[in-house]
Short mmCIF file of all heavy atoms in Angstrom, two decimals:
data_model
loop_
_atom_site.label_atom_id
_atom_site.label_comp_id
_atom_site.label_asym_id
_atom_site.label_seq_id
_atom_site.Cartn_x
_atom_site.Cartn_y
_atom_site.Cartn_z
N TYR D 171 68.71 37.82 56.49
CA TYR D 171 69.41 36.61 55.97
C TYR D 171 68.44 35.73 55.24
O TYR D 171 67.22 35.77 55.49
CB TYR D 171 70.09 35.92 57.19
CG TYR D 171 70.96 34.73 56.82
CD1 TYR D 171 71.90 34.79 55.92
CD2 TYR D 171 70.69 33.48 57.43
CE1 TYR D 171 72.78 33.75 55.61
CE2 TYR D 171 71.51 32.39 57.20
CZ TYR D 171 72.51 32.51 56.23
OH TYR D 171 73.32 31.43 55.98
N LEU D 172 68.97 34.88 54.37
CA LEU D 172 68.11 34.05 53.57
C LEU D 172 67.17 33.21 54.41
O LEU D 172 66.03 33.01 54.11
CB LEU D 172 69.01 33.14 52.65
CG LEU D 172 68.32 32.13 51.74
CD1 LEU D 172 67.60 32.89 50.72
CD2 LEU D 172 69.41 31.21 51.14
N ALA D 173 67.72 32.65 55.50
CA ALA D 173 66.91 31.74 56.34
C ALA D 173 65.74 32.43 56.98
O ALA D 173 64.74 31.73 57.35
CB ALA D 173 67.81 31.12 57.50
N ALA D 174 65.72 33.75 57.06
CA ALA D 174 64.61 34.46 57.73
C ALA D 174 63.31 34.38 56.89
O ALA D 174 62.25 34.69 57.37
CB ALA D 174 64.96 35.94 57.90
N ARG D 175 63.41 33.92 55.62
CA ARG D 175 62.19 33.83 54.81
C ARG D 175 61.21 32.85 55.37
O ARG D 175 59.99 32.83 55.02
CB ARG D 175 62.58 33.43 53.39
CG ARG D 175 63.41 34.57 52.73
CD ARG D 175 63.85 34.14 51.33
NE ARG D 175 64.87 35.09 50.78
CZ ARG D 175 65.54 34.99 49.66
NH1 ARG D 175 65.28 33.93 48.89
NH2 ARG D 175 66.41 35.88 49.24
N LEU D 176 61.66 31.97 56.24
CA LEU D 176 60.76 30.98 56.87
C LEU D 176 60.18 31.41 58.14
O LEU D 176 59.26 30.80 58.74
CB LEU D 176 61.49 29.65 57.07
CG LEU D 176 61.78 28.74 55.89
CD1 LEU D 176 62.57 27.50 56.31
CD2 LEU D 176 60.48 28.32 55.23
N PHE D 177 60.63 32.58 58.69
CA PHE D 177 60.15 33.01 59.99
C PHE D 177 58.68 33.31 60.06
O PHE D 177 57.98 33.06 61.09
CB PHE D 177 60.94 34.27 60.41
CG PHE D 177 60.58 34.82 61.73
CD1 PHE D 177 60.51 33.99 62.87
CD2 PHE D 177 60.24 36.18 61.88
CE1 PHE D 177 60.18 34.52 64.13
CE2 PHE D 177 59.87 36.69 63.09
CZ PHE D 177 59.88 35.86 64.23
N PRO D 178 58.03 33.82 58.98
CA PRO D 178 56.57 34.02 59.08
C PRO D 178 55.76 32.74 59.34
O PRO D 178 54.63 32.79 59.74
CB PRO D 178 56.21 34.61 57.70
CG PRO D 178 57.47 35.30 57.27
CD PRO D 178 58.55 34.42 57.75
N VAL D 179 56.36 31.56 58.99
CA VAL D 179 55.61 30.27 59.17
C VAL D 179 55.29 30.04 60.60
O VAL D 179 54.08 29.84 60.94
CB VAL D 179 56.47 29.14 58.53
CG1 VAL D 179 55.72 27.77 58.84
CG2 VAL D 179 56.59 29.32 57.02
N PRO D 180 56.23 30.01 61.59
CA PRO D 180 55.85 29.85 62.99
C PRO D 180 54.93 30.97 63.52
O PRO D 180 54.06 30.67 64.39
CB PRO D 180 57.15 29.71 63.73
CG PRO D 180 58.18 30.38 62.85
CD PRO D 180 57.72 30.12 61.46
N LEU D 181 55.14 32.16 63.05
CA LEU D 181 54.25 33.28 63.46
C LEU D 181 52.79 32.94 63.02
O LEU D 181 51.90 33.14 63.75
CB LEU D 181 54.72 34.55 62.90
CG LEU D 181 56.02 35.21 63.45
CD1 LEU D 181 56.37 36.46 62.70
CD2 LEU D 181 55.86 35.44 64.91
N ALA D 182 52.67 32.50 61.79
CA ALA D 182 51.34 32.18 61.28
C ALA D 182 50.67 31.04 61.99
O ALA D 182 49.50 31.05 62.32
CB ALA D 182 51.42 31.89 59.73
N LEU D 183 51.49 29.99 62.28
CA LEU D 183 51.00 28.89 63.07
C LEU D 183 50.52 29.25 64.37
O LEU D 183 49.46 28.78 64.90
CB LEU D 183 52.04 27.77 63.09
CG LEU D 183 52.36 27.10 61.78
CD1 LEU D 183 53.53 26.13 61.87
CD2 LEU D 183 51.19 26.37 61.18
N ALA D 184 51.34 30.05 65.10
CA ALA D 184 50.98 30.47 66.48
C ALA D 184 49.72 31.32 66.53
O ALA D 184 48.84 31.16 67.33
CB ALA D 184 52.15 31.18 67.13
N THR D 185 49.68 32.35 65.61
CA THR D 185 48.48 33.23 65.59
C THR D 185 47.29 32.45 65.05
O THR D 185 46.14 32.77 65.45
CB THR D 185 48.77 34.45 64.70
OG1 THR D 185 49.22 34.07 63.44
CG2 THR D 185 49.82 35.37 65.42
N GLY D 186 47.47 31.48 64.20
CA GLY D 186 46.38 30.56 63.77
C GLY D 186 45.86 29.76 64.96
O GLY D 186 44.63 29.63 65.03
N TRP D 187 46.72 29.29 65.79
CA TRP D 187 46.29 28.58 67.00
C TRP D 187 45.46 29.49 67.87
O TRP D 187 44.47 29.14 68.44
CB TRP D 187 47.55 28.08 67.75
CG TRP D 187 47.21 27.25 68.93
CD1 TRP D 187 47.12 25.83 68.95
CD2 TRP D 187 46.87 27.66 70.29
NE1 TRP D 187 46.85 25.44 70.22
CE2 TRP D 187 46.69 26.47 71.06
CE3 TRP D 187 46.72 28.94 70.87
CZ2 TRP D 187 46.30 26.58 72.42
CZ3 TRP D 187 46.39 28.96 72.22
CH2 TRP D 187 46.24 27.78 73.02
N LEU D 188 45.95 30.76 67.97
CA LEU D 188 45.23 31.75 68.85
C LEU D 188 43.81 32.03 68.23
O LEU D 188 42.85 32.14 68.98
CB LEU D 188 45.99 33.02 68.85
CG LEU D 188 45.50 34.15 69.82
CD1 LEU D 188 45.37 33.67 71.22
CD2 LEU D 188 46.37 35.36 69.72
N TRP D 189 43.78 32.09 66.93
CA TRP D 189 42.48 32.29 66.22
C TRP D 189 41.49 31.14 66.60
O TRP D 189 40.32 31.43 66.89
CB TRP D 189 42.72 32.40 64.71
CG TRP D 189 41.48 32.41 63.89
CD1 TRP D 189 40.84 31.31 63.44
CD2 TRP D 189 40.79 33.53 63.38
NE1 TRP D 189 39.70 31.71 62.67
CE2 TRP D 189 39.70 33.02 62.65
CE3 TRP D 189 40.95 34.93 63.51
CZ2 TRP D 189 38.79 33.93 62.01
CZ3 TRP D 189 40.08 35.74 62.89
CH2 TRP D 189 39.00 35.24 62.18
N ILE D 190 41.99 29.94 66.51
CA ILE D 190 41.09 28.79 66.70
C ILE D 190 40.62 28.79 68.18
O ILE D 190 39.41 28.45 68.41
CB ILE D 190 41.88 27.51 66.43
CG1 ILE D 190 42.20 27.37 64.90
CG2 ILE D 190 41.13 26.25 66.90
CD1 ILE D 190 43.12 26.23 64.56
N ARG D 191 41.40 29.21 69.13
CA ARG D 191 41.05 29.14 70.53
C ARG D 191 40.20 30.32 70.99
O ARG D 191 39.77 30.38 72.14
CB ARG D 191 42.36 29.11 71.35
CG ARG D 191 43.26 27.88 71.05
CD ARG D 191 42.70 26.59 71.59
NE ARG D 191 42.71 26.64 73.08
CZ ARG D 191 42.37 25.61 73.85
NH1 ARG D 191 41.98 24.45 73.28
NH2 ARG D 191 42.38 25.67 75.17
N SER D 192 40.04 31.35 70.14
CA SER D 192 39.36 32.58 70.48
C SER D 192 37.88 32.49 70.15
O SER D 192 37.43 31.72 69.22
CB SER D 192 39.95 33.77 69.78
OG SER D 192 41.34 33.89 70.14
N GLY D 193 37.09 33.27 70.83
CA GLY D 193 35.64 33.34 70.54
C GLY D 193 35.41 34.28 69.38
O GLY D 193 36.38 34.99 68.88
N PRO D 194 34.16 34.48 68.92
CA PRO D 194 33.84 35.34 67.73
C PRO D 194 34.40 36.80 67.84
O PRO D 194 34.94 37.29 66.97
CB PRO D 194 32.36 35.27 67.64
CG PRO D 194 32.00 33.95 68.27
CD PRO D 194 32.98 33.78 69.38
N ARG D 195 34.11 37.42 69.01
CA ARG D 195 34.54 38.77 69.18
C ARG D 195 36.03 38.92 69.24
O ARG D 195 36.62 39.87 68.71
CB ARG D 195 33.88 39.37 70.50
CG ARG D 195 32.41 39.61 70.38
CD ARG D 195 31.85 40.26 71.62
NE ARG D 195 30.46 40.53 71.52
CZ ARG D 195 29.71 41.11 72.47
NH1 ARG D 195 30.34 41.53 73.60
NH2 ARG D 195 28.40 41.26 72.34
N ALA D 196 36.60 38.01 70.01
CA ALA D 196 38.06 38.03 70.12
C ALA D 196 38.76 37.78 68.72
O ALA D 196 39.79 38.33 68.43
CB ALA D 196 38.55 36.94 71.11
N ARG D 197 38.10 36.97 67.94
CA ARG D 197 38.63 36.75 66.58
C ARG D 197 38.66 37.94 65.72
O ARG D 197 39.62 38.33 64.99
CB ARG D 197 37.87 35.61 65.88
CG ARG D 197 38.10 34.23 66.36
CD ARG D 197 37.32 33.20 65.58
NE ARG D 197 37.53 31.92 66.08
CZ ARG D 197 36.96 30.76 65.63
NH1 ARG D 197 36.03 30.91 64.59
NH2 ARG D 197 37.18 29.58 66.13
N LEU D 198 37.55 38.74 65.77
CA LEU D 198 37.48 39.98 65.05
C LEU D 198 38.52 40.95 65.52
O LEU D 198 39.18 41.67 64.71
CB LEU D 198 36.05 40.55 65.21
CG LEU D 198 35.73 41.81 64.34
CD1 LEU D 198 35.82 41.45 62.90
CD2 LEU D 198 34.32 42.32 64.68
N ARG D 199 38.71 41.06 66.79
CA ARG D 199 39.70 41.96 67.40
C ARG D 199 41.11 41.51 66.95
O ARG D 199 41.98 42.38 66.59
CB ARG D 199 39.58 41.94 68.92
CG ARG D 199 40.51 42.93 69.60
CD ARG D 199 40.08 43.12 71.00
NE ARG D 199 40.07 41.90 71.76
CZ ARG D 199 38.93 41.28 72.29
NH1 ARG D 199 37.77 41.88 72.09
NH2 ARG D 199 38.97 40.21 72.93
N LEU D 200 41.36 40.17 67.02
CA LEU D 200 42.65 39.66 66.60
C LEU D 200 42.88 39.90 65.18
O LEU D 200 44.00 40.33 64.75
CB LEU D 200 42.70 38.15 66.89
CG LEU D 200 43.93 37.39 66.37
CD1 LEU D 200 45.20 37.93 67.07
CD2 LEU D 200 43.77 35.87 66.57
N LEU D 201 41.88 39.84 64.28
CA LEU D 201 42.02 40.03 62.84
C LEU D 201 42.42 41.50 62.57
O LEU D 201 43.29 41.77 61.80
CB LEU D 201 40.72 39.72 62.16
CG LEU D 201 40.71 39.87 60.63
CD1 LEU D 201 41.73 38.91 59.99
CD2 LEU D 201 39.35 39.62 60.02
N GLY D 202 41.77 42.41 63.27
CA GLY D 202 42.14 43.81 63.13
C GLY D 202 43.57 44.13 63.48
O GLY D 202 44.28 44.87 62.81
N ARG D 203 44.02 43.55 64.63
CA ARG D 203 45.38 43.79 65.03
C ARG D 203 46.39 43.20 64.13
O ARG D 203 47.40 43.82 63.78
CB ARG D 203 45.53 43.29 66.47
CG ARG D 203 44.68 44.09 67.50
CD ARG D 203 44.64 43.48 68.87
NE ARG D 203 43.85 44.25 69.79
CZ ARG D 203 43.59 43.94 71.05
NH1 ARG D 203 44.17 42.91 71.56
NH2 ARG D 203 42.81 44.72 71.78
N LEU D 204 46.13 41.97 63.68
CA LEU D 204 47.02 41.35 62.73
C LEU D 204 47.06 42.08 61.43
O LEU D 204 48.12 42.14 60.74
CB LEU D 204 46.66 39.90 62.51
CG LEU D 204 46.86 38.94 63.72
CD1 LEU D 204 46.39 37.57 63.36
CD2 LEU D 204 48.38 38.87 64.06
N ALA D 205 45.95 42.67 60.99
CA ALA D 205 45.93 43.38 59.77
C ALA D 205 46.82 44.64 59.85
O ALA D 205 47.53 44.96 58.79
CB ALA D 205 44.50 43.86 59.44
N ILE D 206 46.87 45.30 60.96
CA ILE D 206 47.84 46.41 61.15
C ILE D 206 49.24 45.94 61.00
O ILE D 206 50.07 46.59 60.32
CB ILE D 206 47.58 47.09 62.46
CG1 ILE D 206 46.18 47.66 62.56
CG2 ILE D 206 48.62 48.19 62.76
CD1 ILE D 206 45.78 48.18 63.92
N VAL D 207 49.61 44.90 61.72
CA VAL D 207 50.94 44.32 61.67
C VAL D 207 51.31 43.98 60.21
O VAL D 207 52.40 44.34 59.74
CB VAL D 207 51.05 43.13 62.54
CG1 VAL D 207 52.43 42.45 62.38
CG2 VAL D 207 50.82 43.42 63.99
N LEU D 208 50.47 43.28 59.53
CA LEU D 208 50.74 42.83 58.17
C LEU D 208 50.90 44.05 57.21
O LEU D 208 51.74 44.06 56.34
CB LEU D 208 49.61 41.90 57.70
CG LEU D 208 49.85 41.23 56.30
CD1 LEU D 208 51.14 40.42 56.29
CD2 LEU D 208 48.62 40.37 55.96
N ALA D 209 50.05 45.01 57.38
CA ALA D 209 50.09 46.19 56.47
C ALA D 209 51.44 46.92 56.64
O ALA D 209 52.07 47.23 55.62
CB ALA D 209 48.93 47.16 56.80
N VAL D 210 51.82 47.15 57.86
CA VAL D 210 53.13 47.78 58.07
C VAL D 210 54.29 46.92 57.57
O VAL D 210 55.21 47.44 56.90
CB VAL D 210 53.38 48.09 59.56
CG1 VAL D 210 54.75 48.73 59.76
CG2 VAL D 210 52.30 49.05 60.07
N ALA D 211 54.22 45.60 57.82
CA ALA D 211 55.24 44.71 57.34
C ALA D 211 55.38 44.74 55.82
O ALA D 211 56.45 44.76 55.23
CB ALA D 211 55.03 43.27 57.77
N VAL D 212 54.24 44.79 55.14
CA VAL D 212 54.22 44.79 53.67
C VAL D 212 54.85 46.13 53.11
O VAL D 212 55.65 46.12 52.22
CB VAL D 212 52.76 44.65 53.15
CG1 VAL D 212 52.72 45.03 51.66
CG2 VAL D 212 52.26 43.24 53.35
N VAL D 213 54.56 47.21 53.81
CA VAL D 213 55.13 48.47 53.37
C VAL D 213 56.62 48.49 53.51
O VAL D 213 57.38 48.93 52.64
CB VAL D 213 54.51 49.63 54.20
CG1 VAL D 213 55.30 50.96 53.96
CG2 VAL D 213 53.05 49.86 53.84
N VAL D 214 57.11 47.94 54.65
CA VAL D 214 58.58 47.88 54.92
C VAL D 214 59.30 46.97 53.99
O VAL D 214 60.40 47.30 53.49
CB VAL D 214 58.84 47.44 56.41
CG1 VAL D 214 60.32 47.26 56.64
CG2 VAL D 214 58.29 48.52 57.33
N VAL D 215 58.70 45.78 53.69
CA VAL D 215 59.44 44.83 52.87
C VAL D 215 59.15 45.03 51.32
O VAL D 215 59.84 44.40 50.50
CB VAL D 215 59.02 43.37 53.29
CG1 VAL D 215 57.69 42.97 52.71
CG2 VAL D 215 60.15 42.39 52.93
N ALA D 216 58.21 45.92 51.00
CA ALA D 216 57.83 46.14 49.61
C ALA D 216 58.98 46.47 48.68
O ALA D 216 59.11 45.93 47.53
CB ALA D 216 56.68 47.19 49.51
N PRO D 217 59.91 47.34 49.04
CA PRO D 217 61.00 47.59 48.16
C PRO D 217 61.90 46.37 47.82
O PRO D 217 62.30 46.21 46.71
CB PRO D 217 61.84 48.64 48.97
CG PRO D 217 60.90 49.34 49.90
CD PRO D 217 59.96 48.21 50.29
N LEU D 218 62.05 45.54 48.84
CA LEU D 218 62.78 44.25 48.58
C LEU D 218 62.03 43.34 47.67
O LEU D 218 62.61 42.72 46.75
CB LEU D 218 63.14 43.61 49.91
CG LEU D 218 64.01 42.28 49.78
CD1 LEU D 218 65.32 42.56 49.17
CD2 LEU D 218 64.12 41.71 51.23
N VAL D 219 60.74 43.21 47.91
CA VAL D 219 59.88 42.42 47.07
C VAL D 219 59.89 42.92 45.60
O VAL D 219 60.03 42.12 44.68
CB VAL D 219 58.43 42.31 47.59
CG1 VAL D 219 57.57 41.56 46.64
CG2 VAL D 219 58.39 41.63 48.95
N GLY D 220 59.83 44.24 45.47
CA GLY D 220 59.90 44.85 44.16
C GLY D 220 61.23 44.55 43.49
O GLY D 220 61.27 44.23 42.25
N PHE D 221 62.29 44.53 44.22
CA PHE D 221 63.57 44.18 43.66
C PHE D 221 63.59 42.71 43.17
O PHE D 221 64.11 42.45 42.06
CB PHE D 221 64.68 44.38 44.70
CG PHE D 221 66.06 44.04 44.20
CD1 PHE D 221 66.86 45.05 43.70
CD2 PHE D 221 66.59 42.79 44.33
CE1 PHE D 221 68.15 44.76 43.22
CE2 PHE D 221 67.86 42.45 43.88
CZ PHE D 221 68.68 43.49 43.36
N PHE D 222 63.07 41.81 43.97
CA PHE D 222 63.03 40.40 43.55
C PHE D 222 62.12 40.21 42.33
O PHE D 222 62.41 39.36 41.50
CB PHE D 222 62.53 39.55 44.70
CG PHE D 222 63.53 39.37 45.84
CD1 PHE D 222 63.15 39.34 47.12
CD2 PHE D 222 64.89 39.22 45.48
CE1 PHE D 222 64.07 39.12 48.14
CE2 PHE D 222 65.80 39.06 46.54
CZ PHE D 222 65.42 38.97 47.85
N LEU D 223 61.05 40.99 42.19
CA LEU D 223 60.20 40.86 41.09
C LEU D 223 60.91 41.35 39.76
O LEU D 223 60.71 40.74 38.67
CB LEU D 223 58.90 41.68 41.24
CG LEU D 223 57.95 41.12 42.29
CD1 LEU D 223 56.75 42.10 42.52
CD2 LEU D 223 57.41 39.75 41.88
N ARG D 224 61.73 42.38 39.95
CA ARG D 224 62.53 42.84 38.76
C ARG D 224 63.63 41.91 38.43
O ARG D 224 63.98 41.77 37.23
CB ARG D 224 63.05 44.25 39.04
CG ARG D 224 62.05 45.36 39.10
CD ARG D 224 62.68 46.69 39.02
NE ARG D 224 63.68 46.99 40.06
CZ ARG D 224 63.37 47.42 41.28
NH1 ARG D 224 62.13 47.73 41.65
NH2 ARG D 224 64.33 47.62 42.19
N TYR D 225 64.30 41.29 39.45
CA TYR D 225 65.37 40.38 39.25
C TYR D 225 65.13 39.05 39.91
O TYR D 225 65.69 38.74 40.94
CB TYR D 225 66.65 41.00 39.79
CG TYR D 225 66.95 42.39 39.26
CD1 TYR D 225 66.63 43.50 40.09
CD2 TYR D 225 67.40 42.65 38.00
CE1 TYR D 225 66.92 44.83 39.66
CE2 TYR D 225 67.66 43.99 37.55
CZ TYR D 225 67.37 45.02 38.37
OH TYR D 225 67.60 46.30 37.95
N PRO D 226 64.24 38.25 39.40
CA PRO D 226 63.80 37.02 40.10
C PRO D 226 64.94 36.07 40.36
O PRO D 226 64.85 35.25 41.33
CB PRO D 226 62.75 36.41 39.13
CG PRO D 226 62.98 37.09 37.84
CD PRO D 226 63.50 38.43 38.16
N GLU D 227 65.97 36.10 39.56
CA GLU D 227 67.06 35.14 39.80
C GLU D 227 67.80 35.39 41.11
O GLU D 227 68.39 34.51 41.71
CB GLU D 227 68.06 35.19 38.57
CG GLU D 227 68.92 36.48 38.52
CD GLU D 227 68.17 37.69 37.95
OE1 GLU D 227 66.95 37.53 37.61
OE2 GLU D 227 68.73 38.80 37.88
N THR D 228 67.73 36.65 41.57
CA THR D 228 68.41 36.95 42.84
C THR D 228 67.73 36.31 44.00
O THR D 228 68.28 36.10 45.03
CB THR D 228 68.48 38.48 43.05
OG1 THR D 228 67.10 38.99 43.13
CG2 THR D 228 69.20 39.17 41.97
N PHE D 229 66.42 36.02 43.87
CA PHE D 229 65.71 35.37 44.94
C PHE D 229 65.97 33.87 45.09
O PHE D 229 66.01 33.28 46.10
CB PHE D 229 64.16 35.53 44.68
CG PHE D 229 63.30 35.02 45.83
CD1 PHE D 229 63.10 35.75 46.97
CD2 PHE D 229 62.74 33.77 45.72
CE1 PHE D 229 62.32 35.28 48.01
CE2 PHE D 229 61.91 33.27 46.76
CZ PHE D 229 61.74 34.03 47.92
N THR D 230 66.32 33.21 43.89
CA THR D 230 66.44 31.81 43.89
C THR D 230 67.84 31.23 43.73
O THR D 230 68.08 30.05 43.92
CB THR D 230 65.61 31.24 42.72
OG1 THR D 230 66.03 31.79 41.51
CG2 THR D 230 64.16 31.55 42.89
N THR D 231 68.83 32.12 43.39
CA THR D 231 70.16 31.66 43.03
C THR D 231 70.78 30.79 44.13
O THR D 231 71.18 29.69 43.91
CB THR D 231 71.10 32.86 42.75
OG1 THR D 231 70.60 33.54 41.60
CG2 THR D 231 72.49 32.37 42.51
N ARG D 232 70.83 31.32 45.40
CA ARG D 232 71.45 30.62 46.47
C ARG D 232 70.63 29.37 46.88
O ARG D 232 71.21 28.34 47.18
CB ARG D 232 71.64 31.54 47.67
CG ARG D 232 72.46 30.93 48.80
CD ARG D 232 73.89 30.58 48.32
NE ARG D 232 74.67 30.01 49.35
CZ ARG D 232 75.69 29.22 49.17
NH1 ARG D 232 75.97 28.79 47.93
NH2 ARG D 232 76.40 28.75 50.18
#
Side-chain angles (χ1 to χ4, degrees):
Y171 185 52
L172 181 66
R175 296 175 190 177
L176 284 177
F177 181 52
V179 175
L181 289 179
L183 292 173
T185 52
W187 186 96
L188 185 59
W189 170 274
I190 293 172
R191 301 285 294 186
S192 300
R195 291 186 179 180
R197 287 181 180 179
L198 185 61
R199 185 167 56 249
L200 175 63
L201 182 62
R203 293 173 182 178
L204 290 177
I206 295 170
V207 174
L208 185 59
V210 175
V212 167
V213 170
V214 172
V215 81
L218 182 60
V219 173
F221 180 91
F222 287 142
L223 291 176
R224 289 195 303 274
Y225 309 102
E227 71 281 359
T228 60
F229 185 81
T230 59
T231 296
R232 188 59 178 153

